Amino acid sequence: MTIIQSHGHQLPEDGKKASTGAYERPVKAFMAGEEKKVRTTVLSTGETSSDKKSDATLRPESLSEYIGQSRLKTMLTMSISAARTRNEPLDHVLLYGPPGLGKTTLARVIANEMSARIHMTSGPSLERPRDIVGLVHQLEQGDVLFIDEIHRLNKVAEELLYPAIEDFVIDLTSGKGHATRTMRLPLPRFTLVGATTKAGRLSKALRDRFGFACRLEFYDLSELSLIVARTAALLSVTVDEGAVKAIASRARGTPRIANRLVRLVRDFGQFQGQNVVDEAFAIQALESYQVDAFGLDNTDRRFLEILIQHYDGGPVGIDTIAVTLGEDNETLEDVYEPFLIQAGFIQRTPRGRVATVRAYNHLGLTPTQSQQLKMDFTEVDKSSE
C-alpha cells in the first residue's frame, strides 16, 4: 500500500514503482488547518503529535491483525474477498463513531487488503471545486480515497462528489455566460472511504451513496487488553498480566488512549529505572498522570462533584455545568460527556444531567434522601420510555 496525503488540489508527480506493485508519490500534509476540540490531558481522544509518530509501528496492516470490531471485520472480510475475486474495487464505505476507535487505521487496512494505494485528505481541506477535481484526477483503477471528517465537506464540494462516487464521472464547466461549456470526464473505478464522528450531520444524499455504513463501537476490557499487550511488545516494554489489565481498564474503551497510556507507563518506567512493569507499578505510573481506576481525570471528577455537590445530583442543564466548570458547553458535550454517559456515571434526561449511583460510589459519597429519590425517579422515567 502507498499512502498519498493531499489537500485535494495538489497533483503529485509520478514516482517509482514500489515493491508492493503500487506507485509512490510525494506526501502532503494531512488535515492542515483543521480545528478540533482537543482535550488537554493524556485522556484526549484527539490525535496528538506523539500518536502520529508511533503510528508507523503500532498500526495493524491487515484485518487479521486488527483487534476488536468483530462484526465489522467479518462483513469487510467477506466483501473484500468477493471484490477481489471479481477483480473489482470494494463498494464505498462509511465509518462512523467516536474519535480514537480506529477509523483511519481501518481505512489503511482496507487499502492493504485490496492491494491498493490510499489517498488521504479531510473534509475541511476540500473547499473549492478545483480541490475535488485535483483530488479525483490523481486516482487510478482500484485506488482508495479516504476523506476524514467527511461531514465537514461544504455543499459545493459534496455535490461535485456525487457523480464521481456514483457514476465515476466528474462534471467540469468552463467559460462564462453564453460561452459556458460542460464536460463530463470519466474516472477510474475507486473506493471512497469516509470517516466521521458525527454521522447525523451527513446529508441523506451523501449517506445513501455508501454501500456500507459501519459504526465502530467502544472496546471492551478484553479487547483493550490485547491491544495493550500488542503495543507493549512492539515498544519493547515488559508488562505482566496485571499491568496489562490495569492500563486497559483506564483506556476509556479507546485504542488511541490505550496506546498513549502504554507509552506513558514506558516513560515512567525508564525514568524510575524499572525494567519490568507489574500491576502496582502501572497503577503508580498512571496515578502520577492523574488517571484513576475508571479512566477519569481531574476534569471528569470535577464535573461529577459539581453535579452532585453544587446541584444536588441534578437534573441540571449542560450550560449551567459549563459555566461552573469554566468550560464551554460544546467541549463538555463532545469531549467529556460521552464517556461519562457510556461508563454510567451520569444520565442525560430531558430535564438535564443526573448523577448515578456509580458516580456517588466513585467519589466516595453517600446520596442524601432527596438525591436518592431523584435517581429513583430518573430510573422510572427511563424504564417507561
Side-chain angles (χ1 to χ4, degrees):
M1 178 191 68
T2 299
I3 301 170
I4 296 95
Q5 296 176 311
S6 173
H7 289 305
H9 59 279
Q10 300 284 352
L11 297 180
E13 301 173 357
D14 289 332
K16 295 181 180 180
K17 195 168 185 179
S19 58
T20 58
Y23 287 88
E24 295 186 351
R25 298 188 177 185
V27 177
K28 304 297 179 181
F30 179 42
M31 295 174 63
E34 180 166 0
E35 295 179 0
K36 287 188 176 182
K37 298 181 181 70
V38 178
R39 192 183 182 110
T40 56
T41 72
V42 297
L43 297 176
S44 169
T45 54
E47 191 173 32
T48 66
S49 58
S50 297
D51 297 329
K52 293 178 181 178
K53 290 178 181 178
S54 66
D55 279 349
T57 56
L58 300 183
R59 288 189 189 274
E61 297 295 326
S62 65
L63 284 172
S64 60
E65 295 178 9
Y66 191 96
I67 298 172
Q69 311 298 337
S70 300
R71 179 184 59 82
L72 176 54
K73 282 169 57 179
T74 300
M75 181 179 68
L76 284 174
T77 299
M78 294 187 295
S79 299
I80 289 172
S81 177
R84 294 191 66 171
T85 300
R86 297 190 305 268
N87 197 27
E88 295 178 357
L90 183 68
D91 204 352
H92 304 307
V93 180
L94 175 65
L95 304 173
Y96 66 97
L101 297 186
K103 294 183 288 296
T104 302
T105 298
L106 193 55
R108 294 170 184 257
V109 167
I110 289 172
N112 273 334
E113 294 284 354
M114 293 299 296
S115 300
R117 299 187 313 167
I118 182 169
H119 304 252
M120 307 188 72
T121 187
S122 65
S125 67
L126 302 176
E127 299 176 350
R128 297 158 293 186
R130 70 180 185 183
D131 296 335
I132 296 290
V133 174
L135 184 62
V136 299
H137 182 269
Q138 60 183 300
L139 296 175
E140 296 179 3
Q141 182 72 21
D143 281 359
V144 173
L145 172 60
F146 175 68
I147 302 180
D148 196 19
E149 297 301 313
I150 195 170
H151 67 274
R152 296 181 64 182
L153 279 174
N154 65 42
K155 193 66 175 175
V156 174
E158 182 179 317
E159 291 180 351
L160 194 59
L161 263 183
Y162 289 162
I165 61 180
E166 188 171 29
D167 301 319
F168 300 102
V169 297
I170 190 164
D171 297 319
L172 303 177
T173 58
S174 61
K176 296 182 180 180
H178 296 294
T180 301
R181 296 291 183 270
T182 301
M183 295 182 295
R184 172 161 281 199
L185 300 180
L187 297 172
R189 295 181 65 85
F190 66 94
T191 298
L192 172 65
V193 179
T196 177
T197 56
K198 300 182 183 298
R201 293 189 184 179
L202 283 178
S203 67
K204 186 177 184 301
L206 180 57
R207 190 167 55 246
D208 289 347
R209 284 171 167 81
F210 287 95
F212 301 102
C214 311
R215 174 177 173 80
L216 276 70
E217 306 289 346
F218 283 106
Y219 286 61
D220 61 30
L221 181 59
S222 62
E223 293 169 337
L224 286 171
S225 295
L226 292 175
I227 291 173
V228 168
R230 176 181 180 272
T231 300
L234 291 173
L235 296 178
S236 300
V237 180
T238 304
V239 293
D240 66 16
E241 184 177 349
V244 167
K245 290 184 178 179
I247 297 171
S249 65
R250 289 161 167 77
R252 303 169 71 95
T254 306
R256 180 177 292 161
I257 295 177
N259 290 337
R260 188 181 302 142
L261 294 182
V262 172
R263 296 198 305 271
L264 293 175
V265 170
R266 175 197 61 184
D267 294 346
F268 188 81
Q270 290 177 345
F271 178 76
Q272 296 287 348
Q274 183 88 1
N275 295 323
V276 178
V277 176
D278 58 15
E279 182 177 4
F281 187 81
I283 293 173
Q284 179 188 356
L286 294 173
E287 286 182 349
S288 72
Y289 291 105
Q290 300 181 334
V291 180
D292 69 21
F294 287 92
L296 272 59
D297 66 4
N298 282 343
T299 304
D300 296 313
R301 292 189 289 271
R302 182 62 178 153
F303 185 112
L304 298 179
E305 289 170 356
I306 287 173
L307 182 57
I308 293 172
Q309 297 175 349
H310 290 224
Y311 301 104
D312 201 30
V316 60
I318 192 66
D319 291 342
T320 303
I321 297 175
V323 171
T324 310
L325 193 58
E327 294 275 3
D328 66 274
N329 57 352
E330 289 189 5
T331 300
L332 289 186
E333 285 187 304
D334 294 344
V335 179
Y336 293 95
E337 222 184 30
F339 178 74
L340 292 176
I341 294 174
Q342 185 258 344
F345 288 105
I346 62 174
Q347 290 182 349
R348 184 185 293 178
T349 72
R351 295 175 297 143
R353 278 58 175 176
V354 178
T356 65
V357 173
R358 190 176 193 186
Y360 286 90
N361 292 340
H362 184 60
L363 297 178
L365 302 173
T366 302
T368 64
Q369 185 175 5
S370 65
Q371 290 170 338
Q372 186 64 55
L373 287 173
K374 289 178 183 179
M375 287 189 288
D376 294 340
F377 184 75
T378 300
E379 288 296 328
V380 171
D381 276 354
K382 186 178 179 181
S383 62
S384 63
E385 289 179 355

